Structure formats: structure tokens, C-alpha cells
Amino acid sequence: MDTNEFPALDETDVAILERVERDADVNLAELAEELELSKSAVHYRLNKLKDANVITAVSADIDPLALGLNMVVITEVSVAHESGYAEDIGQSLTAIDGVFQVYYTMGDVDFVVHSRVQNRDQMNDLVDEIVTIDGVNETASKFVMRELKTSTRTVENMSEEMVRNAVDGTD
Amino acid sequence: MDTNEFPALDETDVAILERVERDADVNLAELAEELELSKSAVHYRLNKLKDANVITAVSADIDPLALGLNMVVITEVSVAHESGYAEDIGQSLTAIDGVFQVYYTMGDVDFVVHSRVQNRDQMNDLVDEIVTIDGVNETASKFVMRELKTSTRTVENMSEEMVRNAVDGTD
DNA sequence: AATGAAATCGACCAGCA
DNA sequence: TGCTGGTCGATTTCATT
């Protein structure tokens, strides 16, 4: 049963996704051979996956260090709960330069914010900017010493069981 | 002065990076026109950026929801500090199915782990698996209600100042 | 879903600043 | 070292079955 707005996927679709999320530069011929399909079949499926927004974009991955972004900070943000400003505060957080992830979470902390900056001055400015947002009550920041894994890849991190579920549609 | 192993970049390089991280499917001709450069010049620079590992990969971005991955959990992990196992524990964490980010942090918490799963059973299993790792002392998990921003894009999140620094090399 | 033809694109080259 | 313009081969794309 479809529980979401996306089309049902089969094993072949997942195989294609796994491959192109790893390296979108593969040419159709190679992909087709790997999957034992014709080039046009692969082409057809790829188009379908893009149209259905299963594939949302094809993008070049850029090493942040190449641009001097060698500091990552994790900031937990708590808001004044009387205020119904949560929505606005979320928006304000996403708009701050250097911020690359914002989550709205359950628990004593309301937002978790990840940012990437080049130096301590920028780190300071960024935390200041967060504190200044109207409705923000308290913040606590952690400095990241090492990024052991940062994999935006979807299929790559899935277990066999997850893939099976995704194909069956029995989420 | 170069403070890292990467080549110096100029404004044109950054413009190219900004464009291809947004959409790597642009053809050379279009890119060249936008930058008022020749196709071969763009080609030349792109190769250079890939060779220097400024561009680490070209990948298709896949919507996790299309595969039923509709739950994100943030887990804070503290380890027994006598043990010098931090390295091993980090490795163990990155290897767990569903885990897509692992940070080693300063402070009372040692690791921050982000995972994506399809249902509560998987969530349970995942947290269990973390607790079971040898040397792990304590864990605290937060459920993510909303992902307000998840942008792996590097240049996109940079301020003008950051770009200027990156180009000058004055990090 | 496969075939094959037409259109398009990226890779490469020699020459040049 | 980086750029230009042009050519060739490879690759995507599309109409048809």
C-alpha cells in the first residue's frame, strides 16, 4: 500500500538509485550493462525517477575544506514556549549564513542547528545571531572535533531490510 | 598563504562550484555562456577541480521519503573515558545501518549520531545497537519532528564574507 | 521495453597569451 | 599555466515498433 506521494519502486529502481547517488556521471551504456537492461529502459526509468522527484537533483559534492570551512558547530536552541513563534524562529535559523542543517526536535531542546564556518570570529558571530533571534530562550553549542561520517547518500546507508521494505511498500 | 592542501581558487572557480553543486546537469555551453568563458576553459577548470578533489563526486540526490525513510533520530553518545576506545567506537557507530552522520565532539557528550529509519522498530533496534557497543557509557536520543533545512551544499550556505575569504586564501 | 537514427554534448588538440 | 576555437567521437534523446 502506498503511504506516501511517491510511486512504488522495484529492485531495479533501487539499483539505479544506488548507482547514480554514488556517481551520477555513469553513462547509460555502462549502467544498462550492470543492470542487464537496455539503455532506453534505464533512460526511461531515470526520467521517471526525476519526474516523480525521487531524484531531486544531480549535484557536485564540494569539499568544505577546499573553501576554508574547517569548523563545524552544533547548537541546541530552546525557545520561550508561551510564544507561538516556533515557525518563525525555525525560518530565522535556516536563513543564517553558515547554517546547513536545522531540525525541529521533541524534548527539552526545540531546535538543533548545524553550521560550518571558517574561523572563530565567524563562529562567535553565528552564535550571537542565533541568540539574538526573538523568542530564543537558551542555546548550548558543541564544537565538532572530527566528522567521522557525513553521508547525504540515502540508499548507501540503508540496510537490506530497509531496502526490502522500500520495495514492498510495507513501511 | 595556503593553509591547506587545496589549490587557490578564484572567483570564477567559486562561480563554477556554486553552479554545479546546484545542478551538475548543466551542459558546458550553458555554463560557459553564464560565466562569459569558452567551453574549453570551463572544461579545463572543472577537470582541475575534480583532480584536486575540490569536487569529490557528482551524485544524484535522492529523497529519503521516497524510500519510506520518514524518521530521523539524533543520539548523543558518551563513552567511558578511561578506555582509549574512542577511535573504535567512532568506527562502530559509522557502520550501523541507518546512521548517516557521526560527529566527534568536545564537551560532556562525545559523539553525536544522526540516523534515518522507516519505523519505530528500526529506531529501537538502532538505539539498542548503539548502547551495545563496547565502551559506550550513556546515550540520549531526540526524535526529529521536522527537518527544516538539510543542505549538503557547500557554497550555497556561505556568506559573501566567507566566499571572499576562500578566494583570498585569508582564512 | 527495444531498435536505430538524429541531435547534442563532452573530450581533445594545436596554437597562443 | 590558462585560454581559444574547432573537430571528432561518444552519448543522450526520441520516434517507431
Side-chain angles (χ1 to χ4, degrees):
Chain A
M1 181 181 56
D2 272 341
T3 59
N4 59 32
E5 77 262 47
F6 292 101
L9 305 177
D10 62 16
E11 299 86 350
T12 307
D13 289 319
V14 176
I16 293 176
L17 291 175
E18 189 276 331
R19 189 65 177 84
V20 296
E21 91 167 348
R22 188 153 40 86
D23 176 19
D25 276 342
V26 253
N27 53 35
L28 283 182
E30 202 175 325
L31 232 177
E33 197 177 351
E34 284 176 24
L35 302 171
E36 304 192 342
L37 260 177
S38 72
K39 282 192 299 180
S40 11
V42 176
H43 183 243
Y44 175 77
R45 281 170 181 264
L46 267 174
N47 276 344
K48 215 182 45 173
L49 292 167
K50 285 178 185 172
D51 284 346
N53 283 317
V54 174
I55 295 175
T56 55
V58 175
S59 56
D61 302 343
I62 298 165
D63 192 330
L65 292 178
L67 292 150
L69 294 158
N70 44 31
M71 292 186 179
V72 172
V73 189
I74 299 177
T75 309
E76 297 181 336
V77 178
S78 305
V79 314
H81 272 289
E82 319 77 69
S83 72
Y85 291 157
E87 199 81 11
D88 300 326
I89 295 172
Q91 281 310 110
S92 304
L93 290 170
T94 62
I96 297 174
D97 286 326
V99 168
F100 66 98
Q101 280 181 344
V102 178
Y103 295 123
Y104 184 50
T105 59
M106 282 186 57
D108 30 76
V109 167
D110 296 296
F111 294 97
V112 175
V113 179
H114 288 211
S115 3
R116 211 182 274 283
V117 295
Q118 293 167 327
N119 54 47
R120 285 175 299 184
D121 282 346
Q122 291 174 4
M123 201 173 87
N124 250 312
D125 291 350
L126 191 140
V127 175
D128 276 353
E129 211 170 331
I130 292 178
V131 175
T132 307
I133 295 173
D134 204 48
V136 165
N137 216 9
E138 205 180 341
T139 71
S141 292
K142 274 191 274 290
F143 185 79
V144 171
M145 301 206 307
R146 231 140 73 76
E147 305 179 61
L148 278 71
K149 178 170 192 169
T150 58
S151 168
T152 176
R153 313 254 157 92
T154 299
V155 182
E156 180 179 282
N157 298 313
M158 292 171 74
S159 65
E160 308 258 334
E161 184 203 328
M162 291 178 190
V163 170
R164 237 176 294 123
N165 281 347
V167 168
D168 295 348
T170 31
D171 319 342
Chain B
M1 180 181 52
D2 273 338
T3 59
N4 59 32
E5 77 262 47
F6 293 101
L9 305 178
D10 61 16
E11 299 84 351
T12 307
D13 289 318
V14 176
I16 292 176
L17 292 175
E18 189 276 331
R19 191 65 178 81
V20 295
E21 88 166 350
R22 188 154 37 87
D23 175 19
D25 275 344
V26 253
N27 53 34
L28 283 182
E30 201 175 325
L31 231 177
E33 197 177 351
E34 284 176 24
L35 301 171
E36 304 191 343
L37 260 177
S38 72
K39 279 196 302 179
S40 2
V42 176
H43 184 245
Y44 177 77
R45 279 170 182 261
L46 267 175
N47 275 344
K48 214 184 45 173
L49 292 167
K50 286 178 185 174
D51 282 347
N53 283 316
V54 174
I55 295 174
T56 55
V58 176
S59 56
D61 302 343
I62 298 165
D63 192 330
L65 293 179
L67 291 152
L69 294 157
N70 44 32
M71 292 186 178
V72 173
V73 189
I74 300 177
T75 309
E76 297 182 337
V77 178
S78 304
V79 313
H81 272 291
E82 318 78 69
S83 73
Y85 290 157
E87 198 82 11
D88 300 325
I89 294 172
Q91 282 308 110
S92 305
L93 290 170
T94 62
I96 297 174
D97 286 325
V99 168
F100 66 97
Q101 281 182 343
V102 178
Y103 296 121
Y104 184 50
T105 59
M106 281 187 59
D108 32 77
V109 167
D110 297 297
F111 294 97
V112 174
V113 180
H114 288 211
S115 2
R116 211 181 275 281
V117 295
Q118 293 167 327
N119 53 47
R120 285 174 299 182
D121 281 345
Q122 290 174 5
M123 203 173 86
N124 250 311
D125 291 350
L126 190 140
V127 174
D128 276 353
E129 211 170 332
I130 292 178
V131 175
T132 307
I133 295 173
D134 203 49
V136 165
N137 218 9
E138 205 180 344
T139 71
S141 293
K142 274 191 274 288
F143 186 79
V144 170
M145 302 207 307
R146 232 140 73 75
E147 305 180 61
L148 279 72
K149 178 170 192 169
T150 58
S151 167
T152 175
R153 313 254 157 90
T154 298
V155 182
E156 181 181 282
N157 298 313
M158 293 172 73
S159 66
E160 308 258 335
E161 184 204 328
M162 292 178 190
V163 171
R164 236 176 294 122
N165 281 348
V167 169
D168 295 347
T170 29
D171 319 343

